[in-house]
Amino acid sequence: MNNPFDPAHIQEEKAEREARRLKLRTNLLIALFCAVLCGFAAVLYQTQIVNGASYRANSSVRIVQPEQVDSVRGEILDRYGRVLVTNEVSYNVELDWEAMGSDQLDILARLLDICREEGVEWADDLPISDTAPWRYTSETPLSFQRKSDDGEVTDVPTYLGSLAEECGWVKHAEKSNLTAGELLTLMCQTFGLVEKAPRPRLAHPELGGMLSAAGQGLGLTDQGGGISRENRELAGVFYELYLRRHEVDNSTYLFAQGVSITFISKVKESALAGVRIETATTRKYETSYAAHVLGYTGSITRNNWDRYKELGYPMDATVGVEGIELAFEEQLHGVSGSRLIEKDQDGNTTGQEWRKEPEPGDNVVLTLDMALQAATEDLLAQYAGRQEDSSKGMAAAVVDMSGGVLALASYPTYDLASFRENFSQLQDDESKPLNNRATMGLYAPGSTFKPLTAIAALSSGTIEPRDTVECTAWYRFYPDVSPACWIAPGRHGKENVTQAIKDSCNIFFYDVGRRTGIDTLQEYAQKFGLGEYTGIEISEYKGWVAGPEANAHFNLPWYGGDIMNAAIGQGTNQFTPLQLANYIATLVNGGNHYACHLLKECKSSDYSQVTQTYEAAPLHTIDIQPEDLAAVKQGMYDLSKTYTMARWFSSLPVEVGCKTGTAETSSKAATTNAVFVCFAPYDDPQVALCLVAEGGDAGGSLAELAAGILAQYFSTGDSLNTVTGENALLH
């Protein structure tokens, strides 16, 4: 009998237990391995046998496409760092023709149904009306004429014209004869929206009326016929897709922008192949003011594609169209990126690889003071609201002594946040709210021109500050014409230049202007920047300085006596409010003429560094003797102390110099524009401004507005809080 306590026996039992455990582990490992192997075999079977055909189909259509990616635009700020224009994330809908397969019609019909349910507007640039009777909405729907530098005129097809030829809808010679209804029918037949019907054969000439009736039945006339509104809407979408399919337009078809989450959910639930939801950034306006200055963005057009192509922009990039957005496009836009996109047969993105990441644009800081801008626009609106005809336009320009624009307002105006929805209404508005009157409105300056006439006469030695001219109510130098002073039949008596500016005596300036000569007046007007481009970065008109050349432009003869009207700011003098404000700044700063500018500086996208700074330097300096300047400024100061002016300016913390102007707008109709210029402080000028009111009675009526603008500028204690909201960040 074995001893259980025998060491040998104990060792033997231990070895047996170890063997049993090893066998168990081995069996478990073998079982686990078999299970894994079976699972792997099942996956292979599922992939290669059950779903093999599907995966092969997917892999055969999976393609990799290069794609340029637009960068994020920089922000626009005012001089104190208030953000005026920024970006917000939105969702856009893009369509991919190839990914739709043979179900394009069903997919697009369902997509348009969702758009109607959710009130989403989609892009439709087909130049045919969206309701019957069908008509072209463009004056040149199929082609337009382009004149080359050598004067040769050629017919250039539009997008629609190019596609019409490509699809065989028209031949070049038929373009001008094809009606909108006929073209729409041909399009709908090509797109499969309506069936092609056989053309009726006329057995007898007397049955010719049948052709017209049949044509109406097919929608071949502009009366609508068999083409429904739904067909027209689908035709507009197919038109956009066909443009890209036939490489007439190579940009991405951006079907809809800024769609809601509900819309996206319905699109996803419907599993619409080729309908892609993409994230994007759109411009967000933090202010309703300065619309004419800030401008707006839009798509690249066919006319400017060559320029942006050279800059490396993708064709579907968003670019500046007007205002600051256009003027500083390259700084705001940044650098576009590129990536490789992998897509499956449904057009879904399955992967991407960046080749070059986009670089965001710089932030542009303007010279504008948005609190001052807001106050100026509000004051213009209040003034206009008190007039009998509140639709009359107004403009204001405020500049500093080096041409920096502090405020630039035009009335009536519009809101950038909603102007796209109201564009047609704004465009048709007789008051022309889209026009920037501050830089593109041309007005006779009236008596606000008289300080320039005075400086030209003083600097050229025609008169001295103490010289006088006697006002006898009528100027009788010319035998055939005797123009009157505005005070006639009263008279000012003997007046020197200071008194004549204060009293705005026409007789003084008739005589002094005649003796100075039109050539000298033109020379000094141009030195002060009148009738010249100011240099501002946004769109502006040049204007005209009265003289033989300007009269010839307006098909008017020039007579020697016309210099009298020129000397008092009438005749063919035509300037912008910004030119007049900058002329006053040039005058009171001692003759240093600066270009006007809106740029203060540019900052990097993260605001960590200044990438560009505007360096103001005089374009030229006018040699004005101190005593001559003092005599002119004194007259403007004395005017501000008269009763009609002092009641507005006396409450200001600074002294003011000003000049009124009442400019005739027509020799046949008794209509005038009110013009007003001023500067402050009198002893050490900081700002100059100009106000113009179309149809205004007299320049003096604008003194209240000017005082309100100056009060805002010199009350800096409340300036920042006027626009900036709670917890807003100043950059």
Side-chain angles (χ1 to χ4, degrees):
M1 184 173 180
N2 296 330
N3 183 359
F5 299 103
D6 181 42
H9 180 71
I10 293 173
Q11 189 66 31
E12 183 180 349
E13 287 185 349
K14 185 177 180 180
E16 288 178 359
R17 287 196 300 271
E18 288 293 334
R20 285 195 299 270
R21 282 197 293 269
L22 179 62
K23 185 178 180 179
L24 179 61
R25 291 192 191 101
T26 302
N27 290 336
L28 287 174
L29 287 174
I30 292 172
L32 181 61
F33 177 75
C34 290
V36 171
L37 189 62
C38 290
F40 184 67
V43 171
L44 287 177
Y45 179 81
Q46 183 75 14
T47 301
Q48 297 185 3
I49 305 302
V50 177
N51 296 323
S54 175
Y55 285 130
R56 279 194 297 273
N58 282 345
S59 64
S60 65
V61 298
R62 184 169 288 140
I63 56 174
V64 176
Q65 295 177 332
E67 180 181 82
Q68 283 187 287
V69 181
D70 209 5
S71 53
V72 177
R73 290 181 76 81
E75 296 181 325
I76 302 175
L77 306 89
D78 84 339
R79 68 188 299 116
Y80 296 114
R82 307 181 187 100
V83 177
L84 310 179
V85 184
T86 185
N87 304 295
E88 63 181 355
V89 175
S90 65
Y91 297 97
N92 297 338
V93 182
E94 296 180 2
L95 302 185
D96 187 338
W97 171 277
E98 301 297 336
M100 292 181 185
S102 59
D103 299 326
Q104 296 101 334
L105 182 56
D106 292 338
I107 291 170
L108 294 177
R110 176 54 185 151
L111 179 61
L112 293 189
D113 285 342
I114 296 174
C115 287
R116 297 186 192 101
E117 292 169 8
E118 295 300 316
V120 171
E121 296 184 0
W122 62 87
D124 183 348
D125 292 329
L126 177 63
I128 295 178
S129 61
D130 56 4
T131 57
W134 313 118
R135 65 188 185 282
Y136 291 121
T137 56
S138 168
E139 295 181 0
T140 56
L142 300 176
S143 65
F144 60 93
Q145 290 189 333
R146 177 180 291 168
K147 189 174 184 180
S148 62
D149 294 338
D150 57 6
E152 183 180 356
V153 178
T154 56
D155 280 339
V156 180
T158 62
Y159 282 158
L160 178 57
S162 297
L163 186 62
E165 290 187 27
E166 184 76 22
C167 294
W169 300 332
V170 298
K171 294 180 180 179
H172 184 75
E174 297 174 347
K175 285 185 178 181
S176 60
N177 300 322
L178 196 68
T179 68
E182 292 169 341
L183 179 58
L184 182 58
T185 300
L186 291 170
M187 295 175 70
C188 288
Q189 291 173 352
T190 301
F191 300 152
L193 305 179
V194 297
E195 294 183 1
K196 295 182 180 179
R199 188 179 182 88
R201 294 187 178 182
L202 302 183
H204 304 284
E206 63 271 16
L207 301 179
M210 291 177 59
L211 178 61
S212 175
Q216 290 187 15
L218 294 173
L220 293 177
T221 71
D222 287 350
Q223 300 307 311
I227 306 300
S228 67
R229 179 168 183 173
E230 288 73 14
N231 287 340
R232 162 61 187 84
E233 291 174 344
L234 282 167
V237 179
F238 271 102
Y239 163 70
E240 295 288 353
L241 291 169
Y242 262 66
L243 287 177
R244 289 146 183 90
R245 185 185 182 192
H246 290 273
E247 298 186 350
V248 176
D249 181 355
N250 293 319
S251 66
T252 301
Y253 179 24
L254 193 59
F255 174 79
Q257 301 182 61
V259 297
S260 66
I261 298 299
T262 305
F263 176 90
I264 295 172
S265 298
K266 287 188 176 183
V267 170
K268 294 292 185 183
E269 289 171 1
S270 300
L272 303 178
V275 180
R276 303 200 308 267
I277 307 297
E278 302 284 351
T279 57
T281 57
T282 57
R283 294 307 248 177
K284 180 182 180 183
Y285 301 97
E286 301 288 358
T287 177
S288 59
Y289 297 103
H292 297 98
V293 177
L294 298 175
Y296 54 91
T297 58
S299 302
I300 295 175
T301 65
R302 196 174 190 180
N303 294 335
N304 59 21
W305 166 235
D306 289 341
R307 175 196 167 204
Y308 288 116
K309 183 179 180 180
E310 291 180 1
L311 295 173
Y313 282 35
M315 194 169 187
D316 57 350
T318 297
V319 298
V321 177
E322 288 289 347
I324 293 298
E325 295 279 19
L326 174 61
F328 298 103
E329 166 60 31
E330 293 185 35
Q331 292 91 332
L332 290 166
H333 185 270
V335 180
S336 300
S338 61
R339 62 185 174 184
L340 296 177
I341 300 293
E342 185 180 87
K343 297 180 180 179
D344 61 17
Q345 65 174 356
D346 295 326
N348 298 316
T349 299
T350 58
Q352 68 175 13
E353 178 185 348
W354 283 103
R355 300 171 69 181
K356 178 185 177 183
E357 293 196 15
E359 300 175 14
D362 286 348
N363 303 302
V364 174
V365 182
L366 305 180
T367 58
L368 286 183
D369 175 351
M370 192 46 56
L372 182 64
Q373 177 75 27
T376 301
E377 291 192 28
D378 289 343
L379 286 167
L380 292 186
Q382 291 170 18
Y383 178 91
R386 297 199 300 263
Q387 307 309 302
E388 292 184 7
D389 185 356
S390 61
S391 67
K392 292 291 186 180
M394 298 185 67
V398 186
V399 299
D400 62 24
M401 293 299 105
S402 60
V405 178
L406 303 174
L408 201 63
S410 180
Y411 176 87
T413 185
Y414 59 96
D415 190 345
L416 284 168
S418 60
F419 98 103
R420 294 186 191 279
E421 294 82 357
N422 304 325
F423 185 75
S424 297
Q425 181 181 349
L426 292 169
Q427 207 171 27
D428 297 337
D429 193 328
E430 293 183 359
S431 63
K432 302 187 183 304
L434 295 176
N435 287 4
N436 184 4
R437 289 170 164 87
T439 63
M440 303 184 74
L442 293 176
Y443 306 96
S447 295
T448 62
F449 189 80
K450 288 174 179 176
L452 187 143
T453 300
I455 287 294
L458 290 164
S459 298
S460 63
T462 303
I463 61 171
E464 297 291 336
R466 295 183 179 180
D467 290 348
T468 61
V469 172
E470 185 172 1
C471 172
T472 57
W474 285 272
Y475 188 61
R476 305 190 184 279
F477 180 85
Y478 295 98
D480 298 331
V481 59
S482 299
C485 188
W486 67 268
I487 200 175
R491 59 188 66 195
H492 290 115
K494 288 186 177 182
E495 295 209 316
N496 60 27
V497 66
T498 299
Q499 295 165 327
I501 289 174
K502 174 198 165 215
D503 296 333
S504 200
C505 178
N506 286 347
I507 303 301
F508 180 94
F509 288 101
Y510 288 151
D511 187 67
V512 169
R514 177 189 62 78
R515 287 191 280 151
T516 302
I518 192 61
D519 291 340
T520 301
L521 286 182
Q522 286 182 314
E523 175 189 350
Y524 274 84
Q526 290 165 356
K527 286 181 178 180
F528 279 95
L530 296 177
E532 302 289 332
Y533 292 114
T534 67
I536 195 170
E537 298 90 343
I538 62 176
S539 299
E540 65 171 332
Y541 284 152
K542 184 178 180 181
W544 294 92
V545 177
E549 299 84 1
N551 277 34
H553 172 77
F554 291 105
N555 296 317
L556 297 171
W558 174 260
Y559 301 106
D562 288 338
I563 193 174
M564 293 186 295
N565 274 337
I568 63 169
Q570 293 287 167
T572 48
N573 281 313
Q574 297 280 301
F575 311 131
T576 68
L578 181 60
Q579 286 177 352
L580 290 170
N582 202 36
Y583 133 63
I584 295 300
T586 301
L587 172 67
V588 300
N589 74 19
N592 294 312
H593 178 61
Y594 291 86
C596 290
H597 60 97
L598 284 160
L599 177 65
K600 183 175 183 282
E601 61 188 8
C602 293
K603 293 184 177 181
S604 59
S605 59
D606 61 358
Y607 292 95
S608 63
Q609 58 183 332
V610 175
T611 59
Q612 181 181 348
T613 302
Y614 185 91
E615 299 291 345
L619 300 176
H620 53 266
T621 298
I622 307 165
D623 185 16
I624 304 176
Q625 295 302 311
E627 58 272 20
D628 295 340
L629 178 58
V632 173
K633 286 180 61 181
Q634 184 66 46
M636 299 176 74
Y637 174 79
D638 291 345
L639 176 59
S640 74
K641 293 301 181 181
T642 60
Y643 171 75
T644 55
M645 299 291 112
R647 61 176 175 154
W648 304 118
F649 294 129
S650 60
S651 60
L652 293 177
V654 294
E655 300 287 356
V656 179
C658 63
K659 187 71 191 80
T660 61
T662 306
E664 295 180 0
T665 59
S666 172
S667 59
K668 297 180 180 179
T671 57
T672 59
N673 291 333
V675 188
F676 189 90
V677 296
C678 68
F679 66 93
Y682 174 74
D683 292 329
D684 183 20
Q686 296 179 24
V687 293
L689 68 86
C690 172
L691 291 164
V692 175
E694 296 173 1
D697 293 331
S701 64
L702 299 177
E704 179 184 4
L705 284 182
I709 294 171
L710 292 176
Q712 172 63 42
Y713 178 79
F714 288 104
S715 62
T716 55
D718 296 330
S719 180
L720 290 177
N721 293 328
T722 303
V723 174
T724 307
E726 183 180 0
N727 297 325
L729 177 64
L730 297 182
H731 297 278

